[in-house]
Amino acid sequence: MSQKLRNKQTPENGFRMFICTLFIALPLFFVSCSEDAPEPESILHLNPYHSYHEVLSSFISEVDYISLETDQMSFIGNVEKIKASEDRLYLLDARVSNALYVYDYDGNLDYKISNYGRGPGEFMGPYDFTIDEEEGEIIIFDAGGLKLSRFNLNDGSFIEDTSLEFRFSRFNAYKDGFIFFLNNISTSDGGYNVIRTDRELNVLDNHLEMNPNMLNYVFALPTNFSRYQDSIFLTIPADDQIYRFDQNNGNVENYLYVDFGNASLPETYFRNHPDRQSRRDAIGNSAHNISNYFEADDFYFFRYSRGAQGAHLYIQSKQTDEVIHTTNELLEDDLNIGPLPLWPMAITDDTLIWYAQPAALRNYIRDKQAQMSGPEWSRFQEENQKLITFSESIVDNDNPYLILTKIEF
C-alpha cells in the first residue's frame, strides 16, 4: 500500500462523514446520510501541501488504448475538448484543423464537421461544442461568427444557425435549453457568470454574480462542465466551489466546497489589479483553478493547481472514502501506461479518458529499450504486451490516441 491518507477520520477524506455529523448535531435539521438520500452542500478540507507519492495501480484496474483513424481527411492538430457517449467519441480541434471529429470506440471516423467560412453551417472559430441527445443534435459555438450552429447527431448534416447576443467561454445543453459560462465577460444585462436560456436562446435567468474587480479577466479553461446521471456540474476558475445545475428547477446549487485552508487564494487576488501579471503574482503559492470535475457511481475526481506547479489530482472513493491526492510528478507509472497527460478530459461510466501524442509514446518505448539490457527488454516486452503491440500499430505522425483508464479502488 502506498503512502496515502487512509484513515476515514482525517480531514482530507470523507466529506460525506463531515457534513452528516454537522447536520445531525443540529436539532432544527433532519437529514438522512444514506447513499440514496440527496446531500446538502458538502465541505472537503484539503491541504494542498500534503500530496503523496502514488502508483497508478492503486486506483486504475484496467487500461485500454484507442488509435484514432488518420488520413488526409482527418488530421487532428490539437484536442480542445472531448465528450463521450455510449457509442461515440467527440473531439474538437479548435486551433489547427478547426473541425469536430466523431469516432466509434474502435477509433473509426464516423464523420467530421469542418465547414470553414461565414455562411450557414460554416464557422470561423469553433471554440466549444455540446451534445443534445434528446434533440439528436451537436451544437457548435462559433466564437468568430458569434453563433450556435446545430448539426444532426447521426451524420453531422447541418440543421440551422442561431445568432448570439452575448459572448461566453463554455456551454452545455440540458433538457429544456442551454447553460452558458461567461468567464467574467460582462454583458448588457449585468455581470453574471452563468446564463440559462431556453432552446431558442431566450434568456431565462442569471446566476453567480461576477466580482466587479474580475470583470473581463478571462481564464484559459480546461473542462469545466460535466455530467453524472441527471446532474450537470460546473467549476469556475478562482472559485473553490463545485456547482451543480438542477435541470428540474433551473437552479445553480452549491455542491462541494473545497476548503484549501491557509492555501486558499488571498483576498488581494480578487481586488482591482492594474494588469494581468500583477494578478498572477498575487496567487503566490496558493491553490486555485479547480476543474475537470468528474463523478461516477464509485468515485469523484477533480484537478487543481498550486502556485506555478503542475496539476494536482484528487480522487476519492464513494464507498470507502479512500483518497488519492497526488501530482503528476509524484505519480508513478507502475502499469507502464506510457506518457500520461496532466489530466483526463472526459469520462464514460467508471472510466476516465485521456489523450496523448503517438510520437511521445514511441519515444517512451525507444527510451525504455535503450536503457535496458537485452534480457530486461525481453521481460519488459513480455510484461507489457498490450502497450508494445499498440505502439507498433501507430506511427509518430498519427492522430492523437486515447487512453481509457478504469478507476477502481
Side-chain angles (χ1 to χ4, degrees), residues 290-347:
I290 296 171
S291 67
N292 299 69
Y293 179 83
F294 298 117
E295 188 164 334
D297 289 346
D298 296 330
F299 71 92
Y300 65 94
F301 168 96
F302 62 85
R303 53 82 61 189
Y304 68 93
S305 299
R306 179 166 65 85
Q309 291 188 344
H312 289 238
L313 309 179
Y314 186 93
I315 312 174
Q316 180 168 320
S317 167
K318 291 182 177 180
Q319 308 304 320
T320 67
D321 287 335
E322 185 175 342
V323 168
I324 303 293
H325 183 204
T326 189
T327 67
N328 284 77
E329 292 76 15
L330 294 174
L331 196 53
E332 180 184 339
D333 182 12
D334 64 322
L335 297 176
N336 284 311
I337 288 178
L340 196 65
L342 292 178
W343 52 75
M345 297 187 69
I347 188 172

Side-chain angles (χ1 to χ4, degrees), residues 143-323:
L146 198 58
K147 64 180 181 180
L148 295 185
S149 297
R150 291 175 163 89
F151 300 87
N152 187 287
L153 191 59
N154 292 323
D155 58 13
S157 57
F158 173 63
I159 299 174
E160 67 175 354
D161 287 336
T162 307
S163 297
L164 290 160
E165 296 183 356
F166 56 87
R167 291 192 174 274
F168 61 93
S169 285
R170 299 288 184 219
F171 76 119
N172 207 88
Y174 74 104
K175 64 180 182 179
D176 295 323
F178 302 97
I179 48 175
F180 299 87
F181 172 60
L182 272 64
N183 200 4
N184 293 327
I185 303 172
S186 59
T187 69
S188 58
D189 295 331
Y192 290 88
N193 257 322
V194 175
I195 291 178
R196 182 172 71 101
T197 74
D198 60 20
R199 292 188 182 276
E200 287 69 44
L201 298 182
N202 299 305
V203 175
L204 300 177
D205 46 45
N206 303 306
H207 302 270
L208 307 183
E209 189 171 2
M210 300 178 197
N211 181 331
N213 291 327
M214 300 288 285
L215 289 179
N216 300 317
Y217 184 75
V218 177
F219 294 86
L221 288 169
T223 303
N224 74 320
F225 277 112
S226 66
R227 286 178 178 266
Y228 170 61
Q229 297 179 347
D230 292 331
S231 296
I232 297 175
F233 298 104
L234 168 66
T235 55
I236 295 178
D239 189 332
D240 296 340
Q241 183 75 245
I242 295 168
Y243 298 95
R244 175 184 176 272
F245 174 71
D246 189 322
Q247 297 189 68
N248 295 316
N249 59 28
N251 290 337
V252 176
E253 306 166 343
N254 296 341
Y255 182 71
L256 172 62
Y257 174 67
V258 182
D259 179 9
F260 290 116
N262 293 333
S264 298
L265 283 171
E267 181 190 356
T268 54
Y269 176 83
F270 299 97
R271 296 176 184 171
N272 192 26
H273 286 264
D275 53 60
R276 298 181 68 86
Q277 186 59 50
S278 64
R279 191 181 299 279
R280 292 193 195 100
D281 292 341
I283 293 176
N285 203 30
S286 301
H288 59 100
N289 287 12
I290 296 171
S291 67
N292 299 69
Y293 179 83
F294 298 117
E295 188 164 334
D297 289 346
D298 296 330
F299 71 92
Y300 65 94
F301 168 96
F302 62 85
R303 53 82 61 189
Y304 68 93
S305 299
R306 179 166 65 85
Q309 291 188 344
H312 289 238
L313 309 179
Y314 186 93
I315 312 174
Q316 180 168 320
S317 167
K318 291 182 177 180
Q319 308 304 320
T320 67
D321 287 335
E322 185 175 342
V323 168

